[in-house]
Amino acid sequence: MTSTEAGALRRLAPPARRFLAHRKGVLVRLALWSLAESGQAFLVGHAVARSVDEGFLAGDPRRGLLWLGVALVAVLSGARVVRGVFAQLAGVTEPLRDGLVRHAVDRSMARAAPGGPGGTDRAAVSRLTNQVEIARDSFAGLVLTLRSFVFTAAGALLGLLSLHPALLVVVLPPLAAGLALFLVTLRPMAAAQRRALAADEALGEHAASARAALRDLAACGTGPGAERHGADLVADAAAAARTLAGWAAVRTAALGVAGHLPVLALLVAVEWLRGHGVSVGALLGAFTYLVQSLLPALHTLMTALGAAGSRLLVVLDRILGPEPEPEPELELGSGLESEPASEPEPEPEPEPESGPSTASAPAAAFAVHTAAAPAVELRSVTLSYGVRAEPVLDALDLRVAPGEHLAVVGPSGIGKSTLTRLVAGTLAPSRGEVRVAGRVVTGRPAAELAALRVLVPQDAYVFSGTVGDNLAYLRTDPSPAELDAAVEAFGLAPLVERLGGLDATVRPAELSPGERQLVALVRAYLSPAPLLLLDEATCHLDPASEARAEKALAGRSGTLVVVAHRLSSAVRADRTLVLDGIRAQSGTHAELLGRSPLYRDLTGHWNS
């Protein structure tokens, strides 16, 4: 056992004992139901043996059928036994889940409370959802399988003994040998699994960092060294995989020895057993015990211990183990992502306050880094919604300069919304790289993305709160003059007056879709993020309101990318990107009319 495993077991043993000590009543009731399962296993094989020896072979078929009826009743009673077991199982597993949830919440609250270590507990959601459910399900599976094996094996072995002691002499040695071989594989296979996982993670991290730094590797001549390091990591991953496969083969052999050898041994020893007084019915009963009760329970036990056991140990150690040292918060613009090392990084700005408005301080940090970087850059980006699906975007390259106004046009379903989601960082490409202000957006936390861009979708979101809160949602410190100027620029003054001013409460259901879009557009206008993405965000506005809104947004400092709803949006843009599913073309309105048949068709459609 590794030191990590031993430490985890030492930490988990005391709380496990306390947890079980407080639930003795439930455990006793669970044991009683399990005793019924032992009785069921005993009766099935015993009744088969009696039906043959005392019934059919003795010339009394009625007695034989009666014993088979007893076996049938025992099998049917299994449903009632299972129901009782599951009813008691809930009394153990549900308190475990509740206790783990309380512990996770207490840990997160203690971290954020005054005097605590502070910082964001990024693993809290995982502990409260995924990890707790894994612990509950794994624990329930282990309780079920361990209990079932112990009591079923007890009933079956007692039945074999009752039929004839010689049966145990034949069955027990291969059964014990297979089980012992399986138990021997548990620790080394767990260690092999950890090594294989670590090797895969190291290889994946190297591949990701090398891909992001390809130009630097080529420029500095360090490509061969990176290639050699990658080859070493591949060799390590292959070696770990071979070791894991070897232990998996041993485990399979153990399952074969324990699961099949007893039956073969019983077949081979039939003559010997008959010579020692074992009847035909006893032999059939022994086969029934093996095939119907003992071997299925053993197979389930091995599967559960091999998978659920190690998973439960790891998850419980994550939840109940000591509080890890808090990781330093990533400062936007500090270059702590996997970026090429040759890029100079600005001095990190202080961490902003929490909430969606955290974009204001990081925006200043990004200004230093992105002075010469494109506002948006897509490098051979491909995205498919499924392994065998046709790509929505295929090897798309795009550069949008800082301050540029780009319109995106194309038929419905061609990938315009997909493009905005990729740039916004809410969708990861299948291949390629998406950068905003020189930074890879895929995988960035929400607070960092909020500093980079604002995405306004077709169905704008307005929450229940004041008008001012809705407008300043992405910026905490707008002055009254700035709010008034934004309201005036978008023609929102009549709506604000109708609602009762900036301090009036907004009821989203009472606003029209166009009014909700105007509120969202003003919110985006006030955001300090350098990039605005409008995904048909003006589709519910009339042409005059749309023109007014786009004029205000285009006059704002920063870059504007608009999925065009009308031809006028494309005409107003500095440049238009046409997506046609085969290739993408970009240019001014006049240029595209001359060289893009699809754009001419769209223009004719809009004009009509």
Side-chain angles (χ1 to χ4, degrees):
M1 179 179 293
T2 65
S3 59
T4 302
E5 292 172 321
L9 287 174
R10 285 194 297 269
R11 286 192 297 271
L12 296 177
R17 286 194 295 267
R18 289 194 299 269
F19 176 80
L20 295 176
H22 286 84
R23 285 156 186 86
K24 293 179 180 178
V26 175
L27 295 177
V28 168
R29 290 190 294 271
L30 189 60
L32 292 176
W33 279 110
S34 299
L35 282 175
E37 191 170 352
S38 292
Q40 176 201 9
F42 175 85
L43 278 178
V44 172
H46 194 81
V48 169
R50 292 291 179 266
S51 69
V52 174
D53 287 339
E54 300 177 6
F56 299 114
L57 290 182
D60 189 354
R62 293 182 60 185
R63 189 178 185 88
L65 292 174
L66 180 62
W67 275 112
L68 288 181
V70 172
L72 178 62
V73 171
V75 171
L76 295 178
S77 67
R80 175 61 180 160
V81 172
V82 170
R83 181 180 177 183
V85 166
F86 272 90
Q88 299 307 317
L89 184 65
V92 179
T93 58
E94 297 309 308
L96 173 70
R97 180 179 65 175
D98 295 342
L100 293 177
V101 169
R102 282 195 297 271
H103 183 85
V105 172
D106 290 344
R107 170 182 285 188
S108 299
M109 295 297 291
R111 184 186 183 102
T120 302
D121 191 359
R122 292 173 178 155
V125 174
S126 177
R127 285 196 296 268
L128 289 172
T129 55
N130 187 40
Q131 294 185 32
V132 166
E133 292 305 314
I134 288 175
R136 184 189 66 165
D137 294 344
S138 300
F139 179 68
L142 283 176
V143 171
L144 281 175
T145 53
L146 283 171
R147 174 207 58 80
S148 178
F149 174 75
V150 169
F151 287 92
T152 300
L157 293 176
L158 183 62
L160 289 171
L161 181 63
S162 69
L163 295 178
H164 200 288
L167 293 171
L168 289 179
V169 176
V170 176
V171 170
L172 272 182
L175 190 68
L179 187 58
L181 182 60
F182 170 77
L183 294 176
V184 167
T185 66
L186 285 178
R187 293 177 182 176
M189 189 165 186
Q193 286 174 331
R194 289 186 176 89
R195 286 195 298 271
L197 180 60
D200 284 343
E201 289 175 347
L203 180 58
E205 183 178 353
H206 172 75
S209 60
R211 185 186 65 178
L214 282 177
R215 291 181 298 179
D216 290 343
L217 291 173
C220 299
T222 55
E227 183 180 356
R228 286 192 299 272
H229 182 53
D232 293 340
L233 291 176
V234 170
D236 291 343
R242 286 193 295 269
T243 302
L244 183 60
W247 283 111
V250 176
R251 176 174 290 182
T252 302
L255 185 59
V257 170
H260 301 290
L261 202 56
V263 176
L264 295 177
L266 199 59
L267 287 173
V268 172
V270 165
E271 185 177 353
W272 180 82
L273 290 171
R274 293 287 292 154
H276 284 73
V278 179
S279 65
V280 174
L283 285 172
L284 288 177
F287 281 111
T288 302
Y289 281 129
L290 287 177
V291 176
Q292 295 295 324
S293 300
L294 194 56
L295 300 185
L298 180 63
H299 185 278
T300 305
L301 173 71
M302 288 184 172
T303 304
L305 283 179
S310 58
R311 187 166 60 240
L312 177 64
L313 179 64
V314 171
V315 171
L316 285 180
D317 189 46
R318 293 285 180 87
I319 299 176
L320 300 177
E323 176 75 16
E325 290 296 324
E327 297 181 2
E329 294 291 328
L330 279 181
E331 299 290 344
L332 298 182
S334 62
L336 295 181
E337 297 292 329
S338 56
E339 299 292 325
S342 60
E343 296 186 40
E345 304 295 344
E347 290 296 322
E349 294 291 324
E351 180 79 347
E353 296 297 324
S354 61
S357 59
T358 57
S360 55
F366 275 108
V368 178
H369 177 80
T370 63
V376 176
E377 186 175 14
L378 276 67
R379 301 176 179 176
S380 300
V381 168
T382 297
L383 185 128
S384 300
Y385 291 104
V387 177
R388 299 182 180 178
E390 289 293 326
V392 180
L393 299 175
D394 191 5
L396 177 62
D397 291 308
L398 175 67
R399 290 170 67 92
V400 182
E404 187 177 4
H405 178 184
L406 176 74
V408 182
V409 301
S412 178
I414 203 65
K416 303 186 296 296
S417 295
T418 297
L419 175 61
T420 60
R421 291 177 60 196
L422 286 168
V423 175
T426 60
L427 186 65
S430 305
R431 292 189 299 274
E433 188 175 74
V434 181
R435 289 175 174 256
V436 172
R439 303 285 175 171
V440 176
V441 297
T442 303
R444 285 192 177 272
E448 294 192 25
L449 292 175
L452 284 172
R453 88 294 179 265
V454 174
L455 172 63
V456 183
Q458 184 175 353
D459 297 318
Y461 174 69
V462 176
F463 57 86
S464 297
T466 68
V467 178
D469 288 341
N470 269 279
L471 298 181
Y473 181 63
L474 300 178
R475 182 173 173 181
T476 56
D477 57 349
S479 65
E482 288 175 316
L483 282 174
D484 292 339
V487 168
E488 185 63 31
F490 284 81
L492 200 63
L495 174 62
V496 174
E497 292 176 6
R498 192 189 83 206
L499 295 175
L502 294 175
D503 294 329
T505 299
V506 175
R507 294 179 177 84
E510 297 178 0
L511 300 182
S512 68
E515 290 170 337
R516 288 197 291 270
Q517 281 190 329
L518 280 175
V519 171
L521 290 171
V522 174
R523 178 192 301 155
Y525 176 82
L526 290 170
S527 166
L531 172 64
L532 296 188
L533 302 167
L534 307 185
D535 185 8
E536 294 194 5
T538 59
C539 63
H540 296 300
L541 302 182
D542 59 77
S545 298
E546 180 185 56
R548 184 172 187 170
E550 286 191 7
K551 180 181 178 181
L553 292 170
R556 173 188 180 274
S557 175
T559 306
L560 179 63
V561 176
V562 179
V563 174
H565 178 66
R566 296 183 178 93
L567 174 63
S568 55
S569 295
V571 174
R572 283 190 292 266
D574 300 326
R575 184 162 57 104
T576 299
L577 174 70
V578 182
L579 299 178
D580 61 2
I582 302 174
R583 62 186 182 277
Q585 297 187 61
S586 66
T588 64
H589 173 66
E591 291 170 344
L592 291 173
L593 283 176
R595 57 190 167 107
S596 173
L598 175 59
Y599 188 73
R600 288 196 297 271
D601 291 343
L602 291 172
T603 302
H605 171 72
W606 275 323
N607 286 334
S608 63

